[in-house]
Amino acid sequence: MTTLLSSLKVIARPEIAVKPPIIGKRTRLVDKLKQQLDMAECFIQGTEFEAYREKSVKDPETGERKKVRRRITVRPWYYDNEGHYYLEVRVGIRPIELVKDKPAIDVGDKTKLPDTIKLIINAVEKGELDEVILNAAKFPTKKAKANTDTKSEAKGDTSAKTIK
């Protein structure tokens, strides 16, 4: 070795521990909750809420890839019933049940929405909702349902077939 390379400390590659999947799920939920917080604050102030996502687009003339900001539609997780507000925390499109068979949180006045969302963000960051988040992710997808339907037909299950 040359004298320059011999001055470096060379070691074996260290093992990198795999992060548990709940960390990514927590991060995504916190991002969505922060978006809902911004939306609730705009709602209270009476201003319009705008959310953007960066998308990579290929320029047809130059063939170059560029990042473009696109406006996205975000649906609120809160709703009112005769002036009384409720909030549902969602993973994907499904509301999660913080307590068995009770997915809605009674917020009360709309001015309490940001404080309630901040409280939920803190709970998610501390890991209090990990079990609920993991259970919400276990729901069957359309693809999984389609696979079970084709398996039942292959086994000779005639209840799924229509008879003419």
Side-chain angles (χ1 to χ4, degrees):
M1 287 180 132
T2 64
T3 56
L4 293 175
L5 291 177
S6 62
S7 65
L8 298 176
K9 181 181 177 183
V10 180
I11 62 169
R13 184 175 182 192
E15 289 272 335
I16 299 174
V18 178
K19 294 180 183 175
I22 188 64
I23 293 175
K25 293 178 189 309
R26 256 192 236 159
T27 305
R28 280 192 298 272
L29 182 57
V30 167
D31 289 344
K32 296 289 184 183
L33 283 165
K34 286 180 181 177
Q35 198 174 49
Q36 290 294 319
L37 176 64
D38 293 342
M39 184 185 294
E41 288 172 346
C42 286
F43 173 64
I44 291 168
Q45 294 170 358
T47 59
E48 186 178 338
F49 174 74
E50 293 181 352
Y52 294 94
R53 178 178 295 145
E54 284 192 359
K55 185 176 181 179
S56 182
V57 178
K58 189 174 182 179
D59 189 359
E61 296 172 4
T62 62
E64 210 175 283
R65 287 221 170 260
K66 295 181 181 180
K67 293 218 177 211
V68 180
R69 282 181 59 181
R70 300 274 172 129
R71 187 171 182 199
I72 59 170
T73 303
V74 180
R75 292 184 179 171
W77 291 354
Y78 52 87
Y79 54 92
D80 73 348
N81 185 9
E82 298 174 7
H84 196 84
Y85 284 82
Y86 301 93
L87 174 71
E88 291 181 339
V89 180
R90 296 178 174 269
V91 172
I93 60 169
R94 296 179 184 190
I96 59 175
E97 296 176 349
L98 302 175
V99 178
K100 182 75 173 156
D101 296 328
K102 296 181 181 180
I105 299 168
D106 187 357
V107 177
D109 190 37
K110 71 179 178 181
T111 57
K112 295 180 185 176
L113 274 170
D115 294 332
T116 305
I117 295 172
K118 287 176 188 175
L119 183 95
I120 295 168
I121 289 172
N122 289 335
V124 171
E125 288 174 341
K126 289 182 180 178
E128 292 180 22
L129 296 177
D130 285 356
E131 187 177 322
V132 177
I133 294 169
L134 287 174
N135 287 341
K138 292 180 184 176
F139 285 113
T141 60
K142 287 182 181 179
K143 192 174 188 179
K145 286 181 183 177
N147 287 340
T148 57
D149 288 344
T150 56
K151 286 180 185 176
S152 66
E153 287 179 15
K155 290 181 181 177
D157 183 15
T158 58
S159 62
K161 298 178 184 178
T162 56
I163 301 172
K164 293 183 180 179

